[in-house]
Amino acid sequence: MMATPFVEAMAEGAAQALPSLPGAQLTWLDAARREQLQAFLSEGLPGPRSEAFKYTSLRALERRAFAPIDADAGEHAVDAQALALPGVEGPRLVFVNGAFRADLSQLDGLPEGVTLEPLSQALAGDAEPLRFFLTRHWQAPGDAFARLNAALASDGVVLRVAAGTQVAAPVHVVHMGTTAASDVAWHGRHIIELGEGARLSLIEQHAAGEAHSHFATQVTDAVLREGAQLDWLMVQEAASGATLLRRTGLRLDARSRVTLHALELGGGLVRHELGADLVGDGAQLETRGVFIPRARQHQETRLDIRHQAKSTASDALWRGVADQRGRGVFHGAITVDEGADGTDAALSNKNLLLSPHAEIDTQPVLEIYADEVTAAHGATVGQLDERSLFYLRSRGIGYTQARSLLTLAFCRAALDSVANEALREHLNGRLVAQLPIDADAR
């Protein structure tokens, strides 16, 4: 196949980066990196025939060339106060342009039983426990960016919570992009492990310190042992020109529970693949999310939930709002494997189009191979209810305000269950700032 400028730039950057990546002295890690890099270079980016990228064209990305991250890319001045979130006080790990920033992080006074460190430091210490995660073979046709990440990830988060540990304060992880001399690429690899009966609240924030058009991949593996509980909030507000491709994998053992809220607001080309395997009896997953593409933003969420054990449960509620020429894509799949009797699964995706030029594609998928299963699955794309608009206007509320109120209420259904009140109000404020209120869209 003919190499594109994107692939050529990645190959050139890899030749410079591989010898100096953290853990490069580890034979098993170096071999895994080179294998995944060769697979990426051989296959290139997914084309229009790839089912996984059916609604996300990468032709514009193919024509771009990104410089490899360098030692100074993360040294930009950042106001530490800008990283604070209301109602969030506790441990914090900060990465700027993919580089760990100890001066902006807060790692003092970690609760007993909690290990929080950058991947670069974990590899310099005892790397063997990470071997299972870092040598994974990505082989599916749509795994190009996961392969690239496996080959070139320079840092990331390693978070471990010991069995029985209850962590009161949320752990805050920040990924911030800032202006650099040229468009650069960085890759983050994250590993989260909760022991039996452990409990943790995690906030994952993607922020824009300044306008930029960088490229980033983020791959996360999260494993919950029996009876563990994880409350996870993802807030994505990357720069409007940024390309951000994320993949999150969840493994839930018996009677473990994950509650995940996601707010997707920023980025130029954004894609998040969220896969969850409920492998233990009684495992539970609840996901709530909102994505709001506008201008010429492209935002895609792929949710794949697989029930593999008895009496597991999943409940997913996602909302999409597209305005101007924004495009949203939502793929929601539930698979109930043979033997997963007693599964209770529900997924709802409702979407609003606020402009004749906006587009949202939604793909509901439901596959059941077990008995005694309760499953509900639905997806809609429409416009604001004219009767509700008329009702509000008949009460003296202007068109622009009525439109904004209805849209906000539509989105807030996915965020009302955020337990932290101060943080929930902050998220509602970010929704208000992002939601379209231009009366010209009538």
Side-chain angles (χ1 to χ4, degrees):
M1 59 174 293
M2 182 180 297
T4 64
F6 179 89
V7 173
E8 289 178 345
M10 290 299 162
E12 181 180 346
Q16 302 174 32
L18 282 174
S20 59
L21 287 177
Q25 75 282 2
L26 299 168
T27 302
W28 57 266
L29 181 54
D30 184 64
R33 284 169 168 166
R34 294 184 182 277
E35 178 184 350
Q36 289 300 297
L37 176 63
Q38 186 55 50
F40 169 77
L41 296 179
S42 298
E43 298 293 333
L45 297 182
R49 294 185 179 180
S50 172
E51 183 63 26
F53 283 82
K54 180 178 180 180
Y55 296 105
T56 298
S57 172
L58 300 176
R59 282 177 289 185
L61 183 63
E62 286 179 335
R63 298 192 291 268
R64 298 184 62 186
F66 297 88
I69 199 75
D70 57 47
D72 300 325
E75 297 303 317
H76 293 266
V78 174
D79 181 6
Q81 295 299 319
L83 303 176
L85 289 174
V88 178
E89 295 182 5
R92 183 171 68 200
L93 205 60
V94 179
F95 298 85
V96 177
N97 292 345
F100 171 59
R101 288 285 296 269
D103 59 316
L104 298 173
S105 302
Q106 298 176 0
L107 298 178
D108 295 335
L110 284 173
E112 185 176 354
V114 177
T115 301
L116 176 64
E117 59 185 338
L119 176 65
S120 53
Q121 292 182 13
L123 288 172
D126 184 7
E128 191 60 28
L130 307 175
R131 185 169 183 167
F132 172 80
F133 299 102
L134 300 182
T135 57
R136 180 174 178 179
H137 293 265
W138 302 97
Q139 299 177 336
D143 283 344
F145 297 109
R147 294 190 188 111
L148 189 61
N149 182 280
L152 297 178
S154 58
D155 220 333
V157 178
V158 177
L159 173 58
R160 299 188 184 98
V161 183
T165 301
Q166 309 286 308
V167 185
V171 173
H172 186 193
V173 176
V174 183
H175 303 282
M176 177 171 285
T178 63
T179 302
S182 59
D183 290 347
V184 297
W186 71 81
H187 312 275
R189 186 68 171 89
H190 317 296
I191 297 167
I192 301 168
E193 294 183 273
L194 273 64
E196 292 185 8
R199 186 166 186 172
L200 175 74
S201 176
L202 175 64
I203 298 172
E204 174 187 331
Q205 182 182 12
H206 300 266
E210 300 169 290
H212 66 82
S213 52
H214 303 327
F215 169 84
T217 68
Q218 307 277 352
V219 174
T220 304
D221 278 312
V223 177
L224 280 76
R225 302 304 179 191
E226 183 174 347
Q229 295 184 50
L230 175 61
D231 188 353
W232 196 341
L233 172 65
M234 301 175 175
V235 184
Q236 187 277 112
E237 294 184 280
S240 60
T243 300
L244 176 60
L245 302 163
R246 297 145 58 207
R247 176 174 288 195
T248 303
L250 296 168
R251 175 193 165 97
L252 284 73
D253 286 352
R255 293 178 296 283
S256 62
R257 178 180 177 87
V258 172
T259 302
L260 186 148
H261 293 85
L263 184 59
E264 301 279 352
L265 301 179
L269 171 60
V270 171
R271 177 182 168 100
H272 185 203
E273 301 173 32
L274 175 58
D277 293 327
L278 284 69
V279 301
D281 292 351
Q284 298 180 53
L285 171 68
E286 180 180 321
T287 68
R288 300 284 185 268
V290 180
F291 55 95
I292 308 180
R294 57 183 315 192
R296 292 184 178 272
Q297 289 178 293
H298 182 108
Q299 297 178 352
E300 178 173 6
T301 295
R302 296 184 65 85
L303 182 62
D304 288 282
I305 302 171
R306 182 175 289 272
H307 294 260
Q308 300 179 20
K310 294 181 178 180
S311 303
T312 55
S314 65
D315 184 11
L317 185 152
W318 288 73
R319 297 286 187 262
V321 177
D323 191 34
Q324 299 166 341
R325 294 185 179 275
R327 184 174 187 183
V329 180
F330 182 83
H331 168 91
I334 296 174
T335 303
V336 182
D337 286 351
E338 185 177 355
D341 299 342
T343 289
D344 187 350
L347 188 149
S348 171
N349 172 228
K350 296 182 180 180
N351 305 281
L352 287 178
L353 299 179
L354 301 181
S355 162
H357 306 294
E359 181 178 350
I360 293 181
D361 298 292
T362 181
Q363 299 173 287
V365 179
L366 180 60
E367 299 182 24
I368 301 175
Y369 303 99
D371 298 324
E372 300 178 7
V373 169
T374 301
H377 201 295
T380 63
V381 179
Q383 299 175 330
L384 285 173
D385 182 23
E386 291 295 335
R387 291 173 299 179
S388 298
L389 274 174
F390 176 79
Y391 175 82
L392 291 177
R393 297 192 71 183
S394 69
R395 296 302 187 271
I397 299 175
Y399 176 85
T400 299
Q401 185 180 5
R403 184 170 177 262
S404 181
L405 287 172
L406 289 175
T407 308
L408 179 61
F410 175 80
C411 293
R412 286 180 61 172
L415 298 177
D416 281 346
S417 54
V418 173
N420 186 320
E421 183 177 355
L423 186 56
R424 184 173 66 248
E425 290 306 311
H426 171 76
L427 297 179
N428 287 333
R430 299 309 302 150
L431 276 176
V432 171
Q434 179 76 2
L435 288 175
I437 57 173
D438 183 1
D440 292 337
R442 278 180 286 186

